[in-house]
Amino acid sequence: MKKKIIRMMIIILMIVCIPIVHAESTCTYKDKAEAKKIAQNVTAAYEIKQREDGTYYINIIIYNLTDDLYVSYNWSTGKGKYATSSKNTITVFNFDTSMQDGKYTGIYTIEDNDINIIKKYVISVKSTKIGCADTLKTITLTKPRWNPISQIDECKYYDAKDNMYCKEWTSQDFKLTLEGAAIQLRKQRELNREIAPTECYSCEKDEQYNTWMERFEKIRKYAIIGLSIGIVVDLVVIVVLIIKIKEDSIV
C-alpha cells in the first residue's frame, strides 16, 4: 500500500510539474548524457521456472533500475489480424523492485503464466528527472512458448533431439498439428536411414583394414619369433657339432 501511494504521488507530481516547466526544460545536455550512460546498465532477461506441482511459468526480469530511472513496458503477441497487445503500459520505479538488507535491489520481476503463447515485451527506460522525458533505451525481449510437439514419441529418438519441432521451448509458431509433425519427423528419420548404409559401408571398410593390419602385425611378430628361435637352434647345433668334432679329434 505504501508503494502504491508513493507511486501515485510521483505520477501526480510529474503530471502537474511538466506543464509548468513547459518549454523551459530543466534537463540539460549533461543531464541527458549522464542519464543515457546509467540507462545502458538496465537489462532484461527471462527465466523458465517450474512449480512443485509441475506447472511452468516464465519470469521476465528487469535489472539495474536506480532512483534516477524508471521503466515502462507492454507486450504484444501474434501477427496481422491475430495480433494482440496489453491494454495498459505498466510503469515501474526503483521503489517497486525487491528489497534486500533494507535497500531496493533495482531488480523487478514480472511473472508470466501464458506459457502457450509467444510474447514480445518492449521495455522503455526513462529518466525520473523532470524534462528528460525522452526514452533513453529500448529493450525488446521475446518470451518463448511451451511446445507440445516436443512430447510426441517421434521426438524421443536420438537423431531428433536437435530438430526444431522437438525443442521443449520455442520462439516459433508451427502450422503443423501433432500428427503432421510426427509424419514430418518420421520422414526425416527414414531419410537418415537411407543415408546410413553409405556411412556404414565406409565404416566397415575402415574396420576391415584395421582387422587386416592387426593380423599382419601378429604374423610379423610370430615370424620374427620363429626366425629368432631358428637362429638360436642353429647356433646350438653348430656349437654341439664343433664340440663333437673336437672330441672325435682327441680320440
Side-chain angles (χ1 to χ4, degrees):
M1 181 63 71
K2 183 179 179 181
K3 286 186 176 181
K4 289 183 178 179
I5 294 172
I6 296 173
R7 184 208 296 268
M8 289 180 64
M9 290 177 63
I10 290 177
I11 293 173
I12 292 171
L13 285 171
M14 290 177 68
I15 294 172
V16 171
C17 294
I18 288 174
I20 295 175
V21 297
H22 193 51
E24 295 180 5
S25 172
T26 58
C27 185
T28 64
Y29 177 81
K30 183 179 179 181
D31 292 334
K32 289 182 179 180
E34 290 179 353
K36 283 186 177 181
K37 184 177 180 180
I38 299 172
Q40 294 309 308
N41 296 322
V42 180
T43 59
Y46 69 82
E47 286 184 349
I48 299 170
K49 309 287 285 187
Q50 188 175 25
R51 300 184 180 91
E52 292 183 358
D53 61 2
T55 58
Y56 287 97
Y57 64 98
I58 297 179
N59 279 338
I60 309 297
I61 309 171
I62 302 171
Y63 297 94
N64 300 325
L65 274 178
T66 68
D67 291 334
D68 298 320
L69 300 172
Y70 72 95
V71 298
S72 58
Y73 72 89
N74 54 29
W75 56 262
S76 62
T77 183
K79 296 178 181 179
K81 64 179 180 179
Y82 300 106
T84 59
S85 60
S86 53
K87 295 180 180 180
N88 300 311
T89 297
I90 309 299
T91 302
V92 179
F93 293 92
N94 192 36
F95 57 75
D96 292 312
T97 64
S98 57
M99 293 193 74
Q100 184 176 358
D101 298 329
K103 296 180 180 180
Y104 296 113
T105 62
I107 301 173
Y108 184 78
T109 303
I110 307 160
E111 184 177 308
D112 194 317
N113 292 289
D114 293 331
I115 65 169
N116 295 313
I117 59 175
I118 299 167
K119 286 183 180 179
K120 184 176 76 171
Y121 280 83
V122 178
I123 303 166
S124 300
V125 185
K126 299 181 180 181
S127 172
T128 56
K129 187 174 180 61
I130 296 174
C132 293
D134 296 338
T135 298
L136 303 170
K137 181 179 180 180
T138 301
I139 302 170
T140 301
L141 181 68
T142 300
K143 178 196 75 67
R145 68 176 178 86
W146 181 73
N147 178 24
I149 295 176
S150 65
Q151 305 303 303
I152 66 176
D153 290 340
E154 294 297 328
C155 282
K156 295 178 182 178
Y157 290 92
Y158 179 79
D159 57 355
K161 67 175 184 177
D162 293 326
N163 192 289
M164 64 178 179
Y165 296 122
C166 295
K167 299 294 184 183
E168 188 173 7
W169 297 90
T170 179
S171 296
Q172 293 180 278
D173 282 315
F174 303 129
K175 294 181 180 180
L176 291 177
T177 60
L178 294 179
E179 183 179 354
I183 294 172
Q184 185 78 12
L185 288 164
R186 200 174 300 122
K187 286 181 179 179
Q188 183 62 49
R189 197 169 71 254
E190 289 173 356
L191 180 62
N192 292 341
R193 285 177 180 174
E194 291 177 4
I195 298 172
T198 303
E199 296 176 351
C200 289
Y201 176 77
S202 177
C203 293
E204 186 178 353
K205 287 294 183 182
D206 290 341
E207 187 175 349
Q208 289 176 355
Y209 176 78
N210 290 333
T211 303
W212 183 84
M213 286 298 295
E214 287 177 2
R215 288 179 180 175
F216 175 79
E217 288 296 329
K218 286 181 180 179
I219 293 170
R220 182 171 172 269
K221 183 172 68 175
Y222 292 149
I224 292 172
I225 293 173
L227 288 172
S228 299
I229 293 173
I231 292 170
V232 171
V233 171
D234 289 343
L235 289 173
V236 171
V237 171
I238 291 170
V239 169
V240 170
L241 287 172
I242 292 171
I243 294 172
K244 180 70 173 171
I245 291 169
K246 286 183 176 180
E247 288 175 351
D248 292 340
S249 298
I250 295 171
V251 173

